[in-house]
Amino acid sequence: MAVLTNEEVIVATLKLVDREGLDAISMRRVGEALGLSAMSLYHYFPSKDALLDGVFQAVLDELPVIELERTWQKTVLRRARELRRVLKKHPKAIMLFATRPAVTQASIAHVEAMLRVLKKAGFTPEKSLRIFQTVVSYVVGHTLGSVATGGPVPAYDQLDPTAFANVHRVARLLPRWDVEAEFDFGLTAMVNGFS
């Protein structure tokens, strides 16, 4: 049996997720990708959930070390944009962030860093948690929605222009719509509203 590190197993699993999506992940499938049996993979990770927690952490490990800006708002905005950038690199892994909490120490360290920023800004533990959860939910949700592909393109021009006059008016903007500007508009408005 080839001797691998846990990190090598996680890297291979993340590559598999990037290629085939989360539904492709099973102990058998990851084992095959590594030239191992499913049973051999249990020497590295006790369950598929533990493997997915490792993938969650591996994506977060691509974030740079948190940099403090002049204000807490700028720090939160920068961190949110960095998280979006990393999630967009792994679009097929985004659903992990929508369905799983951070559970490994390395993943929780990212939570701790942001909570420290919010505590220093004078927020209570309750308000800090609300801000953190709201920002992460926005980043994950918007990123998931904006990288989703497939599905029919809505035929807005076929709608009754009298009944749907406003839809017709804004539909003309869609071919050149800047999704990143939309994301930033919502993020900035939200963070400024926490003050």
Side-chain angles (χ1 to χ4, degrees):
M1 177 176 83
V3 178
L4 301 169
T5 64
N6 282 21
E7 184 180 351
E8 288 171 322
V9 174
I10 290 299
V11 167
T13 305
L14 180 55
K15 285 181 181 175
L16 188 59
V17 170
D18 286 342
R19 275 195 321 270
E20 300 180 27
L22 288 169
D23 290 343
I25 301 305
S26 67
M27 298 302 266
R28 182 189 60 76
R29 184 70 183 88
V30 173
E32 286 174 1
L34 290 165
L36 301 172
S37 69
M39 290 309 295
S40 296
L41 200 55
Y42 286 100
H43 291 290
Y44 298 93
F45 291 91
S47 66
K48 177 182 170 182
D49 280 341
L51 195 57
L52 291 175
D53 290 338
V55 170
F56 185 107
Q57 178 179 317
V59 173
L60 287 182
D61 285 347
E62 294 183 25
L63 286 170
V65 174
I66 193 165
E67 289 185 34
L68 300 179
E69 302 286 344
R70 287 191 328 271
T71 66
W72 70 266
Q73 292 97 330
K74 288 185 183 298
T75 302
V76 170
L77 289 169
R78 180 182 184 130
R79 200 60 172 172
R81 291 172 185 135
E82 289 168 343
L83 177 59
R84 178 175 172 85
R85 178 187 53 77
V86 168
L87 292 177
K88 285 177 68 178
K89 282 178 62 179
H90 303 284
K92 293 180 179 176
I94 296 174
M95 192 55 74
L96 275 179
F97 291 81
T99 58
R100 301 178 77 80
V103 296
T104 66
Q105 281 196 343
S107 299
I108 294 171
H110 292 282
V111 177
E112 175 69 20
M114 282 309 306
L115 292 176
R116 192 178 309 122
V117 167
L118 296 169
K119 179 185 178 188
K120 187 176 177 187
F123 291 111
T124 64
E126 182 180 11
K127 184 109 183 237
S128 295
L129 182 58
R130 284 183 178 164
I131 291 170
F132 178 82
Q133 295 283 57
T134 301
V135 171
V136 170
S137 295
Y138 176 76
V139 173
V140 171
H142 194 285
T143 306
L144 183 62
S146 63
V147 301
T149 57
V153 176
Y156 296 122
D157 58 341
Q158 294 179 13
L159 294 171
D160 179 347
T162 304
F164 299 100
N166 290 303
V167 172
H168 271 268
R169 189 166 57 91
V170 299
R172 293 184 204 110
L173 302 172
L174 295 178
R176 56 188 186 285
W177 190 249
D178 185 342
V179 175
E180 295 307 312
E182 174 190 281
F183 169 79
D184 224 53
F185 174 82
L187 177 67
T188 304
M190 182 174 58
V191 171
N192 288 340
F194 292 142
S195 301

